Amino acid sequence: MAQIKRILVTGGAGFLGSHLCERLVSAGHDVICLDNFFTSQKSNVAHLLDHNNFELVRHDVTVPIWLELDQIYNLACPAAPGHYQFNPIKTVKTSVMGAINVLGMAKRCRAKVLQASTSEVYGDPEVHPQPESYRGSVNPLGTRACYDEGKRAAETLFMDYHRMNRVNIRIVRIFNTYGPRMHPFDGRVVSNFIRQALNNQDITLFGDGSQTRSFCYRDELIEGMIRMMEGSDQFIGPVNLGNPGEFSVRQLAELVVELTESRSRIVHLPLPQDDPTRRRPDITLAKKHLDWEPTVPLREGLIKTIDWFRQICIDDYRPPTPNY
Ligand code: NAD
Ligand code: UDP
């Protein structure tokens, strides 16, 4: 087996973090999951608690913590618009102070640290598809800015700690990812549509539904993230991780209705401020440096996700905010 490492996953109880913890625990690593449970719950990692190479720490990443580590995956941050807009000041603090805290820890421990950044650093892009070299078009004053600018500032901090203190960093820019264990009340498009369709409720299509997104299945995204962490120190990123298949939100709504055999109607609601009109990753760098390319088609990933939503007891989930 490869060398056992001490690995911290901040935001480790969340949708992506819990799956990452699962992968790292099953590889035999000594895993610490740190989370304040703002948008998640312990049940996401309950099945890991009886592994002696897994620890769960309730902690807020905006507050320093003293740990001895070899690697840090920094995922702590609300990711769904309704959640990050609930307390936008806290969202900025989570991204910026969280980055400073994990980078300080990485510097002290000489640990490698990976930042879960986002396609939102490209804002409402004028370049399509988006390569990593594109600097983005973000409205710094809008309601998405707390997330977009927080993540951009975190990238800046990662690069500066790398240049100034030689911290061994990685930056991945994640595009819309979906799959089992998404919070059913996170307000994101995949979870909203599936929950609504399974309950035969109206499907809430924002705007005319012509805006596009590219949806990556969770397991493939996590594989890309681990490859980036374990890859060459000569390639620190940023690297786009996402599935280049591009769909309009209307197409997604229709597909979910078809796959759930739902009686739901599609209704239109106003498009939120600064909602990006198009989004698709250019994954040339990920293919070249990580030999990584998603293969799970949207239809197949949605079937697995819908199966999971059918199994859960929705009453076990509390809406983290009123914004879903
Ligand atoms: P999620 O909301 O399920 O997970 C985020 C986790 O961070 C939650 O468990 C939450 O409780 C925790 N958290 C939030 N603030 C915290 C704080 N101050 N201290 C400690 N823990 C805190 O979302 P996710 O989809 O799993 O996203 C994980 C990461 O990936 C986020 O950083 C997000 O920005 C990034 N990302 C996700 C996507 C996606 O499509 N899923 C896309 C781009 C970027
Ligand atoms: N959306 C929608 N109905 C919903 C939730 C979202 O039409 O109930 C749209 C939203 O306006 C956006 C896209 O779906 O254009 C993706 O939204 P999401 O919140 O999942 O993520 P984003 O990529 O915008 O951060």
PDB file of all heavy atoms in Angstrom, residues 150-171:
ATOM      1  N   GLY A 150     -14.824  35.832  -2.714  1.00  0.00           N
ATOM      2  CA  GLY A 150     -14.190  35.097  -1.615  1.00  0.00           C
ATOM      3  C   GLY A 150     -13.288  34.001  -2.163  1.00  0.00           C
ATOM      4  O   GLY A 150     -12.142  33.832  -1.726  1.00  0.00           O
ATOM      5  N   LYS A 151     -13.791  33.278  -3.162  1.00  0.00           N
ATOM      6  CA  LYS A 151     -12.996  32.197  -3.756  1.00  0.00           C
ATOM      7  C   LYS A 151     -11.821  32.760  -4.559  1.00  0.00           C
ATOM      8  O   LYS A 151     -10.756  32.146  -4.625  1.00  0.00           O
ATOM      9  CB  LYS A 151     -13.881  31.337  -4.669  1.00  0.00           C
ATOM     10  CG  LYS A 151     -14.913  30.488  -3.916  1.00  0.00           C
ATOM     11  CD  LYS A 151     -14.265  29.259  -3.292  1.00  0.00           C
ATOM     12  CE  LYS A 151     -15.304  28.285  -2.753  1.00  0.00           C
ATOM     13  NZ  LYS A 151     -14.705  27.111  -2.112  1.00  0.00           N
ATOM     14  N   ARG A 152     -12.032  33.901  -5.200  1.00  0.00           N
ATOM     15  CA  ARG A 152     -10.920  34.517  -5.955  1.00  0.00           C
ATOM     16  C   ARG A 152      -9.821  34.970  -4.981  1.00  0.00           C
ATOM     17  O   ARG A 152      -8.636  34.744  -5.224  1.00  0.00           O
ATOM     18  CB  ARG A 152     -11.437  35.693  -6.805  1.00  0.00           C
ATOM     19  CG  ARG A 152     -12.227  35.225  -8.032  1.00  0.00           C
ATOM     20  CD  ARG A 152     -12.978  36.370  -8.701  1.00  0.00           C
ATOM     21  NE  ARG A 152     -12.104  37.324  -9.338  1.00  0.00           N
ATOM     22  CZ  ARG A 152     -11.783  37.339 -10.640  1.00  0.00           C
ATOM     23  NH1 ARG A 152     -12.309  36.431 -11.457  1.00  0.00           N
ATOM     24  NH2 ARG A 152     -10.998  38.249 -11.138  1.00  0.00           N
ATOM     25  N   ALA A 153     -10.244  35.587  -3.868  1.00  0.00           N
ATOM     26  CA  ALA A 153      -9.251  36.020  -2.871  1.00  0.00           C
ATOM     27  C   ALA A 153      -8.519  34.804  -2.294  1.00  0.00           C
ATOM     28  O   ALA A 153      -7.305  34.867  -2.041  1.00  0.00           O
ATOM     29  CB  ALA A 153      -9.939  36.808  -1.759  1.00  0.00           C
ATOM     30  N   ALA A 154      -9.235  33.713  -2.101  1.00  0.00           N
ATOM     31  CA  ALA A 154      -8.589  32.496  -1.577  1.00  0.00           C
ATOM     32  C   ALA A 154      -7.528  32.007  -2.568  1.00  0.00           C
ATOM     33  O   ALA A 154      -6.418  31.645  -2.171  1.00  0.00           O
ATOM     34  CB  ALA A 154      -9.632  31.416  -1.316  1.00  0.00           C
ATOM     35  N   GLU A 155      -7.847  32.037  -3.863  1.00  0.00           N
ATOM     36  CA  GLU A 155      -6.835  31.643  -4.864  1.00  0.00           C
ATOM     37  C   GLU A 155      -5.607  32.550  -4.766  1.00  0.00           C
ATOM     38  O   GLU A 155      -4.463  32.091  -4.853  1.00  0.00           O
ATOM     39  CB  GLU A 155      -7.411  31.708  -6.290  1.00  0.00           C
ATOM     40  CG  GLU A 155      -8.390  30.596  -6.613  1.00  0.00           C
ATOM     41  CD  GLU A 155      -8.606  30.430  -8.127  1.00  0.00           C
ATOM     42  OE1 GLU A 155      -7.879  31.051  -8.927  1.00  0.00           O
ATOM     43  OE2 GLU A 155      -9.519  29.662  -8.509  1.00  0.00           O
ATOM     44  N   THR A 156      -5.856  33.852  -4.592  1.00  0.00           N
ATOM     45  CA  THR A 156      -4.741  34.806  -4.469  1.00  0.00           C
ATOM     46  C   THR A 156      -3.871  34.441  -3.269  1.00  0.00           C
ATOM     47  O   THR A 156      -2.635  34.406  -3.362  1.00  0.00           O
ATOM     48  CB  THR A 156      -5.297  36.240  -4.294  1.00  0.00           C
ATOM     49  OG1 THR A 156      -6.184  36.514  -5.378  1.00  0.00           O
ATOM     50  CG2 THR A 156      -4.185  37.270  -4.253  1.00  0.00           C
ATOM     51  N   LEU A 157      -4.514  34.157  -2.138  1.00  0.00           N
ATOM     52  CA  LEU A 157      -3.755  33.778  -0.933  1.00  0.00           C
ATOM     53  C   LEU A 157      -2.948  32.507  -1.175  1.00  0.00           C
ATOM     54  O   LEU A 157      -1.788  32.404  -0.760  1.00  0.00           O
ATOM     55  CB  LEU A 157      -4.729  33.566   0.235  1.00  0.00           C
ATOM     56  CG  LEU A 157      -5.258  34.868   0.869  1.00  0.00           C
ATOM     57  CD1 LEU A 157      -6.540  34.605   1.653  1.00  0.00           C
ATOM     58  CD2 LEU A 157      -4.195  35.485   1.772  1.00  0.00           C
ATOM     59  N   PHE A 158      -3.563  31.546  -1.851  1.00  0.00           N
ATOM     60  CA  PHE A 158      -2.825  30.297  -2.127  1.00  0.00           C
ATOM     61  C   PHE A 158      -1.572  30.597  -2.954  1.00  0.00           C
ATOM     62  O   PHE A 158      -0.487  30.114  -2.655  1.00  0.00           O
ATOM     63  CB  PHE A 158      -3.734  29.273  -2.840  1.00  0.00           C
ATOM     64  CG  PHE A 158      -4.429  28.348  -1.870  1.00  0.00           C
ATOM     65  CD1 PHE A 158      -5.415  28.824  -1.019  1.00  0.00           C
ATOM     66  CD2 PHE A 158      -4.082  27.007  -1.783  1.00  0.00           C
ATOM     67  CE1 PHE A 158      -6.036  27.990  -0.105  1.00  0.00           C
ATOM     68  CE2 PHE A 158      -4.691  26.154  -0.873  1.00  0.00           C
ATOM     69  CZ  PHE A 158      -5.674  26.652  -0.036  1.00  0.00           C
ATOM     70  N   MET A 159      -1.723  31.409  -3.993  1.00  0.00           N
ATOM     71  CA  MET A 159      -0.565  31.719  -4.841  1.00  0.00           C
ATOM     72  C   MET A 159       0.493  32.500  -4.058  1.00  0.00           C
ATOM     73  O   MET A 159       1.695  32.265  -4.218  1.00  0.00           O
ATOM     74  CB  MET A 159      -1.002  32.522  -6.079  1.00  0.00           C
ATOM     75  CG  MET A 159      -1.746  31.728  -7.119  1.00  0.00           C
ATOM     76  SD  MET A 159      -0.962  30.176  -7.631  1.00  0.00           S
ATOM     77  CE  MET A 159       0.555  30.767  -8.360  1.00  0.00           C
ATOM     78  N   ASP A 160       0.052  33.418  -3.181  1.00  0.00           N
ATOM     79  CA  ASP A 160       1.033  34.220  -2.440  1.00  0.00           C
ATOM     80  C   ASP A 160       1.764  33.399  -1.379  1.00  0.00           C
ATOM     81  O   ASP A 160       2.966  33.575  -1.188  1.00  0.00           O
ATOM     82  CB  ASP A 160       0.343  35.454  -1.831  1.00  0.00           C
ATOM     83  CG  ASP A 160       0.086  36.512  -2.912  1.00  0.00           C
ATOM     84  OD1 ASP A 160       0.824  36.520  -3.925  1.00  0.00           O
ATOM     85  OD2 ASP A 160      -0.853  37.309  -2.763  1.00  0.00           O
ATOM     86  N   TYR A 161       1.064  32.510  -0.705  1.00  0.00           N
ATOM     87  CA  TYR A 161       1.757  31.615   0.243  1.00  0.00           C
ATOM     88  C   TYR A 161       2.728  30.703  -0.501  1.00  0.00           C
ATOM     89  O   TYR A 161       3.788  30.357   0.005  1.00  0.00           O
ATOM     90  CB  TYR A 161       0.753  30.766   1.040  1.00  0.00           C
ATOM     91  CG  TYR A 161       0.294  31.408   2.331  1.00  0.00           C
ATOM     92  CD1 TYR A 161      -0.642  32.442   2.336  1.00  0.00           C
ATOM     93  CD2 TYR A 161       0.804  30.984   3.554  1.00  0.00           C
ATOM     94  CE1 TYR A 161      -1.063  33.026   3.517  1.00  0.00           C
ATOM     95  CE2 TYR A 161       0.389  31.565   4.747  1.00  0.00           C
ATOM     96  CZ  TYR A 161      -0.546  32.580   4.721  1.00  0.00           C
ATOM     97  OH  TYR A 161      -0.957  33.159   5.900  1.00  0.00           O
ATOM     98  N   HIS A 162       2.351  30.342  -1.718  1.00  0.00           N
ATOM     99  CA  HIS A 162       3.234  29.490  -2.513  1.00  0.00           C
ATOM    100  C   HIS A 162       4.491  30.259  -2.911  1.00  0.00           C
ATOM    101  O   HIS A 162       5.617  29.796  -2.722  1.00  0.00           O
ATOM    102  CB  HIS A 162       2.469  29.000  -3.749  1.00  0.00           C
ATOM    103  CG  HIS A 162       3.309  28.232  -4.712  1.00  0.00           C
ATOM    104  ND1 HIS A 162       3.854  27.015  -4.404  1.00  0.00           N
ATOM    105  CD2 HIS A 162       3.713  28.520  -5.977  1.00  0.00           C
ATOM    106  CE1 HIS A 162       4.549  26.580  -5.440  1.00  0.00           C
ATOM    107  NE2 HIS A 162       4.482  27.467  -6.395  1.00  0.00           N
ATOM    108  N   ARG A 163       4.288  31.483  -3.445  1.00  0.00           N
ATOM    109  CA  ARG A 163       5.441  32.269  -3.914  1.00  0.00           C
ATOM    110  C   ARG A 163       6.305  32.740  -2.747  1.00  0.00           C
ATOM    111  O   ARG A 163       7.523  32.680  -2.802  1.00  0.00           O
ATOM    112  CB  ARG A 163       4.951  33.500  -4.700  1.00  0.00           C
ATOM    113  CG  ARG A 163       4.588  33.175  -6.138  1.00  0.00           C
ATOM    114  CD  ARG A 163       4.323  34.456  -6.919  1.00  0.00           C
ATOM    115  NE  ARG A 163       3.074  35.075  -6.489  1.00  0.00           N
ATOM    116  CZ  ARG A 163       1.964  35.077  -7.218  1.00  0.00           C
ATOM    117  NH1 ARG A 163       1.942  34.522  -8.403  1.00  0.00           N
ATOM    118  NH2 ARG A 163       0.868  35.652  -6.760  1.00  0.00           N
ATOM    119  N   MET A 164       5.654  33.185  -1.681  1.00  0.00           N
ATOM    120  CA  MET A 164       6.406  33.819  -0.589  1.00  0.00           C
ATOM    121  C   MET A 164       6.957  32.787   0.397  1.00  0.00           C
ATOM    122  O   MET A 164       8.073  32.934   0.880  1.00  0.00           O
ATOM    123  CB  MET A 164       5.467  34.783   0.143  1.00  0.00           C
ATOM    124  CG  MET A 164       6.166  35.752   1.026  1.00  0.00           C
ATOM    125  SD  MET A 164       4.979  36.940   1.666  1.00  0.00           S
ATOM    126  CE  MET A 164       5.869  37.447   3.110  1.00  0.00           C
ATOM    127  N   ASN A 165       6.168  31.762   0.692  1.00  0.00           N
ATOM    128  CA  ASN A 165       6.558  30.810   1.745  1.00  0.00           C
ATOM    129  C   ASN A 165       6.786  29.399   1.227  1.00  0.00           C
ATOM    130  O   ASN A 165       6.943  28.465   2.009  1.00  0.00           O
ATOM    131  CB  ASN A 165       5.481  30.777   2.843  1.00  0.00           C
ATOM    132  CG  ASN A 165       5.356  32.112   3.553  1.00  0.00           C
ATOM    133  OD1 ASN A 165       6.354  32.757   3.857  1.00  0.00           O
ATOM    134  ND2 ASN A 165       4.131  32.554   3.796  1.00  0.00           N
ATOM    135  N   ARG A 166       6.724  29.244  -0.064  1.00  0.00           N
ATOM    136  CA  ARG A 166       6.951  27.941  -0.706  1.00  0.00           C
ATOM    137  C   ARG A 166       6.000  26.863  -0.213  1.00  0.00           C
ATOM    138  O   ARG A 166       6.383  25.685  -0.112  1.00  0.00           O
ATOM    139  CB  ARG A 166       8.385  27.478  -0.511  1.00  0.00           C
ATOM    140  CG  ARG A 166       9.344  28.440  -1.133  1.00  0.00           C
ATOM    141  CD  ARG A 166      10.678  27.813  -1.302  1.00  0.00           C
ATOM    142  NE  ARG A 166      11.636  28.855  -1.634  1.00  0.00           N
ATOM    143  CZ  ARG A 166      12.913  28.792  -1.333  1.00  0.00           C
ATOM    144  NH1 ARG A 166      13.388  27.760  -0.704  1.00  0.00           N
ATOM    145  NH2 ARG A 166      13.715  29.753  -1.679  1.00  0.00           N
ATOM    146  N   VAL A 167       4.800  27.263   0.166  1.00  0.00           N
ATOM    147  CA  VAL A 167       3.814  26.245   0.549  1.00  0.00           C
ATOM    148  C   VAL A 167       3.439  25.458  -0.707  1.00  0.00           C
ATOM    149  O   VAL A 167       3.266  26.031  -1.791  1.00  0.00           O
ATOM    150  CB  VAL A 167       2.563  26.905   1.182  1.00  0.00           C
ATOM    151  CG1 VAL A 167       1.471  25.864   1.444  1.00  0.00           C
ATOM    152  CG2 VAL A 167       2.938  27.608   2.486  1.00  0.00           C
ATOM    153  N   ASN A 168       3.357  24.144  -0.530  1.00  0.00           N
ATOM    154  CA  ASN A 168       3.051  23.254  -1.658  1.00  0.00           C
ATOM    155  C   ASN A 168       1.533  23.229  -1.865  1.00  0.00           C
ATOM    156  O   ASN A 168       0.804  22.593  -1.102  1.00  0.00           O
ATOM    157  CB  ASN A 168       3.599  21.852  -1.337  1.00  0.00           C
ATOM    158  CG  ASN A 168       3.626  20.959  -2.555  1.00  0.00           C
ATOM    159  OD1 ASN A 168       3.184  21.346  -3.639  1.00  0.00           O
ATOM    160  ND2 ASN A 168       4.138  19.754  -2.370  1.00  0.00           N
ATOM    161  N   ILE A 169       1.080  23.957  -2.872  1.00  0.00           N
ATOM    162  CA  ILE A 169      -0.371  24.140  -3.044  1.00  0.00           C
ATOM    163  C   ILE A 169      -0.884  23.443  -4.302  1.00  0.00           C
ATOM    164  O   ILE A 169      -0.124  23.105  -5.218  1.00  0.00           O
ATOM    165  CB  ILE A 169      -0.748  25.636  -3.148  1.00  0.00           C
ATOM    166  CG1 ILE A 169      -0.088  26.265  -4.408  1.00  0.00           C
ATOM    167  CG2 ILE A 169      -0.388  26.395  -1.892  1.00  0.00           C
ATOM    168  CD1 ILE A 169      -0.821  27.473  -4.933  1.00  0.00           C
ATOM    169  N   ARG A 170      -2.216  23.280  -4.314  1.00  0.00           N
ATOM    170  CA  ARG A 170      -2.949  22.866  -5.512  1.00  0.00           C
ATOM    171  C   ARG A 170      -4.239  23.686  -5.547  1.00  0.00           C
ATOM    172  O   ARG A 170      -4.849  23.900  -4.492  1.00  0.00           O
ATOM    173  CB  ARG A 170      -3.334  21.384  -5.466  1.00  0.00           C
ATOM    174  CG  ARG A 170      -2.175  20.414  -5.310  1.00  0.00           C
ATOM    175  CD  ARG A 170      -1.384  20.286  -6.628  1.00  0.00           C
ATOM    176  NE  ARG A 170      -0.408  19.226  -6.556  1.00  0.00           N
ATOM    177  CZ  ARG A 170       0.828  19.356  -6.066  1.00  0.00           C
ATOM    178  NH1 ARG A 170       1.244  20.521  -5.594  1.00  0.00           N
ATOM    179  NH2 ARG A 170       1.656  18.327  -6.043  1.00  0.00           N
ATOM    180  N   ILE A 171      -4.653  24.080  -6.742  1.00  0.00           N
ATOM    181  CA  ILE A 171      -5.949  24.767  -6.884  1.00  0.00           C
ATOM    182  C   ILE A 171      -6.766  24.046  -7.946  1.00  0.00           C
ATOM    183  O   ILE A 171      -6.310  23.898  -9.089  1.00  0.00           O
ATOM    184  CB  ILE A 171      -5.770  26.249  -7.302  1.00  0.00           C
ATOM    185  CG1 ILE A 171      -4.972  27.022  -6.234  1.00  0.00           C
ATOM    186  CG2 ILE A 171      -7.133  26.912  -7.532  1.00  0.00           C
ATOM    187  CD1 ILE A 171      -4.595  28.443  -6.657  1.00  0.00           C
TER     188      ILE A 171
END
